[in-house]
Amino acid sequence: MNIRRLLAILLAVVLSTLLATQIWAAAANEPLDLNRQCWLTVNPCSTSDKEMLEDLSGADVVVDLYKVADMKAEQNSYSFETIKPFDLLKIPQDIADDRWAEVAQSAANTVLTSDTYTPDQKDIKTGTKIELQSGLYLLVAHKKGDTDYVRTVTDEDGNSRTVTQVRTGKHLYTFAPELVSLPSKLPENGVINTANPGDWIYDLEVNLKPELNDLKGKLEIVKTLRTFDTAYGSATFVFQLDWDENGKHYSDVRTITFSSSGKQVLTVELPVGVTITVTEIYSGAKYEIVGSAEGTAVIEADEVARVEFVNDYDEDSPPNGGGTITNKFTFSDGEWHVTQQVDSTEE
């Protein structure tokens, strides 16, 4: 082996050893000063999304802060030293690493699933600048005064995570717990990474990234069949649902099938705030509507709207056909599947 190749190998070993002993290199134009005071402003969402910002601002969203780790500096390197109750957490070597979401989840599970731990700072109004010491902090957003905001949600792959939720008039916002380092760096490629080049930021403003869903309410279609005629088999009744949402008109069809007289209830989820009109458009063989064939209701949160229909056997009416079939479409494994139902109450 020649001398040049040997020197190259030795240099690679030395560099590898140095990288292994330095958790993060402080690639900055100015040295890291952990004695400087830091400030943090947390916005409930991107300030460029005016509609969402206005909606969340009216919901009185606040943030709880838990200090997860102290920031340590040694010459040109720095690291995080976790503190109780987070002392068992494993901190990744790169703050831009995707594993930071996993660390945030572990930290959130430590404090949000128990009444033992209280935030270092509680109910910080979003948009307000607060003074903090350097370190790594867990941010937990919720509605001020709300005590039941922690949820466990599961994605399509069966993976569960801990989140917090805030409800406004018509929307449900889901916040993932987030970690933020103080001081920090400017975003690079959309990611705030403490290894990014540039000066350290001691006055940091961050935007939370909530998921937005329409808040759902429930509608019950209550169907009563006074008399059932066994001569014609099952009796199927068809309902058309019409509503307007965000300037668009929507229509759906649902069915209820009887094999005897009695009452059945079909429950439908709809966006909060819409006015729904339900019309019975098919009354089955040898049956007639008693009363109105149309009902209207307003969908509200935490309440069950209800429309009711009554049918009875009409012995003088000629048979008007048999039952109906409703196609139900579901998406899974990357493709659409269709199943046929004669009764929507089976969903």
Side-chain angles (χ1 to χ4, degrees):
M1 180 180 295
N2 60 44
I3 299 300
R4 179 177 297 178
R5 180 172 177 79
L6 178 60
L7 288 175
I9 293 174
L10 290 173
L11 179 60
V13 171
V14 171
L15 288 175
S16 176
T17 303
L18 288 174
L19 290 174
T21 56
Q22 294 182 11
I23 297 180
W24 294 283
N29 295 333
E30 62 175 335
L32 174 64
D33 183 1
L34 295 182
N35 293 319
R36 284 183 58 175
Q37 197 65 41
C38 300
W39 289 267
L40 176 66
T41 303
V42 182
N43 298 314
C45 64
S46 171
T47 54
S48 62
D49 191 333
K50 302 301 183 184
E51 186 175 347
M52 181 183 290
L53 184 61
E54 182 179 358
D55 193 27
L56 286 172
S57 297
D60 203 6
V61 178
V62 295
V63 177
D64 292 344
L65 261 63
Y66 299 83
K67 191 171 186 181
V68 175
D70 290 320
M71 203 169 187
K72 301 295 183 182
E74 296 179 3
Q75 296 180 348
N76 293 325
S77 67
Y78 64 94
S79 64
F80 291 118
E81 184 178 289
T82 54
I83 59 177
K84 290 184 177 181
F86 306 102
D87 45 317
L88 298 180
L89 290 182
K90 301 297 184 182
I91 304 294
Q93 293 185 357
D94 188 348
I95 200 157
D97 195 308
D98 291 341
R99 287 178 297 163
W100 273 109
E102 299 177 15
V103 178
Q105 278 292 301
S106 298
N109 290 335
T110 299
V111 293
L112 297 183
T113 58
S114 171
D115 296 330
T116 304
Y117 307 108
T118 57
D120 293 276
Q121 294 206 35
K122 184 176 176 60
D123 290 349
I124 301 168
K125 185 175 179 60
T126 51
T128 303
K129 181 186 290 190
I130 60 169
E131 190 174 356
L132 292 169
Q133 299 297 320
S134 61
L136 186 67
Y137 292 87
L138 176 70
L139 311 181
V140 178
H142 62 92
K143 190 171 186 175
K144 186 175 182 179
D146 191 1
T147 58
D148 184 24
Y149 52 82
V150 180
R151 297 287 184 272
T152 300
V153 296
T154 304
D155 62 21
E156 295 179 352
D157 297 325
N159 301 314
S160 61
R161 58 194 177 102
T162 299
V163 299
T164 58
Q165 292 185 331
V166 172
R167 297 197 320 179
T168 61
K170 296 182 180 180
H171 300 128
L172 177 67
Y173 293 90
T174 299
F175 292 86
E178 298 188 27
L179 288 170
V180 62
S181 169
L182 287 174
S184 191
K185 297 289 189 70
L186 285 173
E188 185 176 69
N189 298 324
V191 177
I192 296 178
N193 183 343
T194 55
N196 287 351
D199 292 336
W200 288 97
I201 302 172
Y202 297 85
D203 188 349
L204 183 66
E205 182 173 353
V206 298
N207 299 328
L208 299 181
K209 299 174 287 293
E211 300 172 10
L212 170 63
N213 294 101
D214 288 333
L215 198 58
K216 300 292 186 179
K218 290 184 177 181
L219 168 72
E220 287 185 349
I221 301 175
V222 182
K223 182 66 176 178
T224 300
L225 181 59
R226 291 179 176 175
T227 308
F228 179 78
D229 185 5
T230 58
Y232 294 97
S234 60
T236 298
F237 303 90
V238 183
F239 303 90
Q240 180 172 315
L241 287 64
D242 291 278
W243 72 96
D244 293 320
E245 180 185 353
N246 298 326
K248 296 182 179 180
H249 182 76
Y250 294 86
S251 188
D252 194 7
V253 173
R254 301 297 177 98
T255 58
I256 300 178
T257 299
F258 286 79
S259 57
S260 63
S261 60
K263 179 183 291 187
Q264 291 197 53
V265 179
L266 169 61
T267 303
V268 182
E269 275 198 345
L270 293 160
V272 166
V274 304
T275 298
I276 180 81
T277 298
V278 183
T279 307
E280 184 173 310
I281 59 175
Y282 177 75
S283 299
K286 296 288 290 185
Y287 297 95
E288 65 176 359
I289 298 172
V290 179
S292 177
E294 182 178 292
T296 301
V298 177
I299 307 302
E300 299 181 9
D302 302 322
E303 294 186 16
V304 179
R306 184 177 289 106
V307 291
E308 300 192 33
F309 300 88
V310 179
N311 287 72
D312 205 352
Y313 175 70
D314 181 10
E315 61 181 8
D316 296 327
S317 174
N320 58 359
T324 63
I325 293 176
T326 300
N327 290 328
K328 180 182 179 181
F329 295 90
T330 56
F331 186 80
S332 63
D333 299 327
E335 60 182 10
W336 285 98
H337 306 271
V338 60
T339 56
Q340 294 184 328
Q341 293 180 317
V342 296
D343 188 357
S344 297
T345 60
E346 296 175 358
E347 295 182 3

